[in-house]
Amino acid sequence: MPDQSSAARAAGLRADCGNCFGLCCVALPFAASADFALDKKAGEPCPNLGADSRCGIHAGLRQSGFTGCTVYDCFGAGQKVSRITFGGQDWRGDPETARRMFEVFPVVRQLHELLLHLTEALDLAGALRTSAARPLRDDIRRALEETERLTFLDPGSLVALDVSARRRQTGALLRRTSELVRAAVPRRPRSRRGADLVGAGLEGTDLRGADLRGAYLIAADLKGADLRLADLLGADLRDADLSGADLTGAIFLTQPQLDAAKGDRATRLPPALSRPAHWSAP
């Protein structure tokens, strides 16, 4: 496995549907709800999936009642499992291959999500100039290399992998990184880790350097809020209004979190993330 720069590794952590056999459209279940127009069991192909492994309604998913599909990201696990783990074998060719692919896909997806956060953590730690930063960088680099190695395991080893233990180890490193980065923010607000902020009125609030890990910010009013250097790892931003908010340098924020939120052209984003197409103009 060749050594990779952060940029090259990040590129491999983006979904490439053209090199995947539509695994997310088959392996994962969903239930009829505001996010999905119908029920689908795990291992059952979505009726919108074509023989070419492409979605037949991709351009109109939101209008067709499949908003949940628009906020999902495999972080590159789909093409890894399709092209590397199974060497280009299509799940349609053999029921046993299909079963194994559908078991492996969620495991690799979790590992790729960890790789995404570890890659960001390494970049963040690399920019720090404190005595605690060097050993942290070394620990992150080792965890990154080991996690990446795991993604290349054979199917049987992947299914048997204790992903929860890997997540706990990674979580500790991400917490150390977050604390060091946010230490640069004076008078940080109190921790809101895991807080129930559903529908909260936080318009214009100064949340610089805030710990919002795992916070429930569903439908929260964050218009014009200052979220610079806020830790948003795992925060639920579904329907949160980020219009005019400043998320510059927000820590561990992912594209699916943004895709699930609302915003506008005045919302300031980290450079690695894209403005969702459904966001309105100010």
Side-chain angles (χ1 to χ4, degrees), residues 54-203:
R54 298 299 185 97
C55 175
I57 60 168
H58 187 267
L61 283 166
R62 285 181 174 272
Q63 298 89 327
S64 302
F66 289 87
T67 300
C69 297
T70 69
V71 300
Y72 177 81
D73 195 328
C74 74
F75 303 116
Q79 64 260 29
K80 171 76 69 69
V81 173
S82 296
R83 302 297 172 180
I84 297 178
T85 312
F86 286 87
Q89 297 179 73
D90 192 326
W91 54 268
R92 296 173 179 86
D94 175 64
E96 180 59 21
T97 297
R99 184 184 68 80
R100 297 297 275 173
M101 289 183 84
F102 301 158
E103 288 179 334
V104 166
F105 173 64
V107 175
V108 177
R109 195 266 184 190
Q110 290 186 70
L111 293 175
H112 271 227
E113 184 177 13
L114 296 182
L115 285 176
L116 182 76
H117 291 317
L118 286 167
T119 298
E120 180 179 352
L122 187 59
D123 288 341
L124 289 169
L128 296 173
R129 296 292 178 266
T130 65
S131 58
R134 183 169 182 176
L136 175 60
R137 286 195 296 271
D138 291 342
D139 289 345
I140 294 171
R141 188 174 290 108
R142 281 192 292 269
L144 188 56
E145 291 171 353
E146 174 60 13
T147 304
E148 194 157 30
R149 183 190 68 80
L150 294 175
T151 68
F152 289 92
L153 291 174
D154 62 87
S157 299
L158 282 165
V159 172
L161 190 65
D162 186 349
V163 182
S164 295
R166 181 60 49 180
R167 293 186 76 91
R168 288 192 295 272
Q169 294 166 10
T170 299
L173 289 174
L174 300 184
R175 278 193 296 274
R176 287 170 57 192
T177 304
S178 174
E179 289 165 1
L180 283 179
V181 171
R182 292 183 299 109
V185 180
R187 297 185 300 279
R188 282 180 289 165
R190 65 183 177 84
S191 174
R192 308 243 183 143
R193 182 182 300 182
D196 183 352
L197 298 170
V198 176
L202 298 169
E203 182 176 0

Side-chain angles (χ1 to χ4, degrees), residues 198-215:
V198 176
L202 298 169
E203 182 176 0
T205 303
D206 184 355
L207 293 168
R208 284 177 296 172
D211 183 354
L212 291 165
R213 284 183 164 219

